[in-house]
Structure formats: C-alpha cells, structure tokens
Amino acid sequence: MATYTDLKRDDYRATIDGKPVDLFTLRNSRGMVVRITNYGAKIEQILVADRDGTLGDVVQGYDSIDGAMGGQPSMGSFIGRYCGRIDGGRFTLDGVDHQTSVNSPPNTVHGGERGSRFRVFDARQLDEANLELTYVFQDGEEGFPGTLPVRLAYSLGDDNALTIAWTAVAADKTTIANFTDHTFFNLSGDLGSSILDHVATVHAGRYLALNDTAVPTGEVVDVTGTPLDFRIPAAFGDRIADDHRMLVLGKGYDLHYVIDEPASGPAPALQARIHHPGSGRTLEVLSTEPGLQLYTGNFLEGKAPRDLGKGGTLYTKHSAFCAEPSKFPNSINIPSFPSTVLRPGQWYAGSIVYRFGVA
C-alpha cells in the first residue's frame, strides 16, 4: 500500500503570467517516478525504492500549484540567473556598475525577487523519460544585464539517475550566470521526519568562509579538525550542534564546499554521497560544477502555509537536506573564484546528476 501522496496533474494545471502550468511525469523501467512542474522548473516528487523494494517519496514538495506558489520558493526549483548570494546585490562588468534586486537584505539571493524559481518555463515532454524546459532571462530582468536563453533537459535513466543538464548563451551583452538545483531530500520516505540520521560523505577538504550576512569573503578554509569535515562519512546530526562559527551562523550546515577533484570536462564528477541507514536508500550527487552547497533545512519551521507539504505533512527544521552543485556564490566579486562571466555568444553548459541506490 502506497504511503506517499499521489499527485494529481489537474491540481497543477493553471495559467500564470499568461503561460500554461502543468505537472509532468518521468518514469524508468525500474519503477522510479519523477514529477516536475514547469512553474520554477520544480521537482515536486521522486518515488524510488528502499532496500525492500518499496517505493517511497524522497523529496519535499507540494500537492498543488497553489501550495507551490505559497510554499518555500526554492523547494525543488532550478535556480538562476545567479544562484547563491551576491554581496550587496552589486557587481561591476567592464567598468559598468550593476545593482540587482535585493531580496535577502542586504544581498541578492537566488536570482532576486523573481528569479527562475518564480517563473514559468516553456515545457515539452519528449518521451516517458525526458522533459525539456526553456526560459529566456531578459536584459535588465532583476537588474542583470543581457538576454540569456536557457534550455533544461531532465532525463531519467534506467540506472535510477536523474540528470538535469543546462545550456545557456549570452545572446547580446556580457552577463553573469550561475545555476543549481534546489531539491529538498529526505531519503527515509517520511518527509516530516528528521534527516539528522542521514550519513553524508562530501569529497571536499575546503569550504568558503562567510561574512555575517552569509556571503563568501574570498577566504578558502581547510575543514580538517572541524565539524564541517565529511571526507569520512558522518551523520548530519553528529556535530551539527557544535560551537563552530559556520554552524552557528547557518543554524546548521549551510555552506559551500570546494570539491577536491572537480570535473575537468563535460562528464560530471562525484561530489557527495548520502545514505539513510533505516531505508537503505543512497543518493550520489555528481556535477560538472566546482562547488557544492550543503544545507540541512535549517529554516524550515513547520508553519502553514509555507511549510505545509504533500499529504498535510509539516516540513520542520532539519527535515530535509539540499546538495546544490554550482560555481561559487559571489564569484562575480571575487576574482580568484571560478568565473561566472559570459561574453556575447559564449555558452554555459553543465549538469547535475542525482543517482539513487540502496545499501
């Protein structure tokens, strides 16, 4: 008997900003199911088996478009034009100063007031396992310069891997771009339960130091001897309450890791592995990007309507984790960080792979 909420397509059908919104379903031959809405390109459900072969829902989300619009805006979303924080929402390109919309004072976060998580993508389901979503960031949108079309390809493989691949191009002006996916995972299948028993491995020996407003300063710090070190597997809850500045600032894990051996080409590299001992489910996170934001649901509050999820489940603090590969936040203001600048005609291609298994 299913213990997950059966999402209804009709509950997601709507018109927003004059564009049709829908819910799309991907399936593979092993019974894995992924449901995505083109509002914010949000992943609303992933059904995958535990060690006993029982399907369970392993991502937080909402069971209607109204829920998604009134809920946590980042939950399940594709994040652009620029993920993470930009210090003061300010940057300079070719001697020209730019001010983006400040939506997390004093900074811009995740693309501004109406970044991609609030936008309707054009959608085309290619077949049972593949979905194409497109959106065009306009010149001046949220204060960012330049027109930036982006194409997303969501592909579900028979190896239980969901791939999110993107291509974008600076169509007319020099611009900046930094993308990620912001799915909230709970591998237990009980979406209101704590993830502090999940065991994580992160292939990173350094992290980005943050200022008091959670913006990277440019300093890259060794994790050795700190509760931020996941090179040896450890449960999220083992050290989350330790007296470390990064944990106090973020109210848990909410920091960007510098991957030890990042991808050197189009093939994604393994960044992290998370295991839920109770269900046996595992998640491997692979990407083309050089960094990984690890977040342990520190600002989920269990309050309706924002945290009232599927099946009436309340999403409480530490009931999900996010593993968000990207280029480094605030890179545009720190020359030593990987560049996020795109010149006219320059392409930005990358991918994130979420591969599920059991152990």
Side-chain angles (χ1 to χ4, degrees):
M1 183 175 181
T3 57
Y4 53 84
T5 300
D6 187 16
L7 298 189
K8 302 287 195 297
R9 188 174 186 180
D10 283 348
D11 292 335
Y12 266 89
R13 284 180 160 159
T15 301
I16 300 173
D17 296 334
K19 301 176 73 172
V21 172
D22 208 336
L23 186 70
F24 302 87
T25 299
L26 306 183
R27 303 177 189 274
N28 70 8
S29 64
R30 298 172 63 183
M32 183 174 165
V33 177
V34 179
R35 292 194 167 97
I36 303 159
T37 174
N38 58 317
Y39 172 71
K42 298 175 190 283
I43 296 171
E44 293 293 347
Q45 188 168 61
I46 296 179
L47 304 179
V48 67
D50 63 10
R51 67 162 62 90
D52 298 321
T54 302
L55 280 184
D57 191 350
V58 297
V59 302
Q60 291 182 341
Y62 300 92
D63 46 23
S64 70
I65 188 60
D66 289 341
M69 293 181 71
Q72 294 278 345
S74 293
M75 188 168 282
S77 297
F78 178 79
I79 305 293
R81 169 183 319 207
Y82 205 92
C83 65
R85 288 174 173 81
I86 298 175
D87 193 8
R90 296 184 295 270
F91 60 93
T92 302
L93 278 178
D94 298 334
V96 178
D97 294 334
H98 297 274
Q99 176 68 61
T100 52
S101 62
V102 171
N103 60 323
S104 181
N107 307 310
T108 298
V109 66
H110 291 337
E113 291 284 353
R114 294 199 70 217
S116 62
R117 55 194 176 147
F118 301 101
R119 301 293 186 173
V120 179
F121 287 66
D122 293 322
R124 185 166 66 108
Q125 184 146 6
L126 306 179
D127 56 37
E128 192 172 50
N130 293 278
L131 175 67
E132 179 185 83
L133 300 177
T134 58
Y135 181 74
V136 179
F137 295 98
Q138 299 297 329
D139 181 23
E141 188 172 325
E142 297 298 310
F144 291 92
T147 307
L148 184 73
V150 59
R151 174 187 178 272
L152 303 179
Y154 288 73
S155 302
L156 181 57
D158 285 333
D159 58 348
N160 278 3
L162 174 65
T163 299
I164 305 166
W166 61 82
T167 53
V169 63
D172 47 22
K173 296 180 181 178
T174 299
T175 188
I176 62 175
N178 194 13
F179 300 146
T180 194
D181 173 79
H182 212 311
T183 298
F184 282 57
F185 295 97
N186 185 321
L187 300 181
S188 75
D190 179 357
L191 298 178
S193 67
S194 172
I195 50 84
L196 296 184
D197 60 346
H198 288 48
V199 176
T201 308
V202 180
H203 300 295
R206 298 176 297 160
Y207 69 94
L208 305 183
L210 304 177
N211 68 17
D212 289 341
T213 66
V215 174
T217 63
E219 182 184 8
V220 180
V221 185
D222 195 318
V223 300
T224 302
T226 76
L228 313 180
D229 190 351
F230 283 98
R231 290 173 295 180
I232 296 174
F236 287 131
D238 285 352
R239 299 166 297 179
I240 198 169
D242 283 14
D243 186 18
H244 187 281
R245 181 176 176 273
M246 291 296 99
L247 294 176
V248 173
L249 178 66
K251 304 184 187 303
Y253 292 97
D254 190 7
L255 71 157
H256 203 86
Y257 286 91
V258 178
I259 298 302
D260 290 337
E261 297 182 15
S264 57
L270 181 65
Q271 295 189 342
R273 181 182 186 271
I274 297 91
H275 174 225
H276 178 246
S279 67
R281 292 188 184 92
T282 62
L283 171 64
E284 292 180 324
V285 181
L286 304 90
S287 182
T288 54
E289 304 306 279
L292 177 74
Q293 186 82 15
L294 184 67
Y295 172 60
T296 48
N298 313 323
F299 297 99
L300 297 171
E301 298 180 313
K303 294 181 180 178
R306 199 167 188 239
D307 299 313
L308 184 61
K310 289 174 283 189
T313 300
L314 282 173
Y315 300 147
T316 57
K317 184 177 182 179
H318 303 323
S319 62
F321 70 89
C322 303
E324 312 161 51
S326 72
K327 294 181 172 61
F328 303 166
N330 200 37
S331 283
I332 185 57
N333 290 311
I334 302 175
S336 61
F337 281 2
S339 177
T340 52
V341 175
L342 295 177
R343 301 291 177 184
Q346 187 175 357
W347 289 83
Y348 172 28
S351 65
I352 296 168
V353 180
Y354 296 128
R355 187 166 61 205
F356 294 90
V358 291

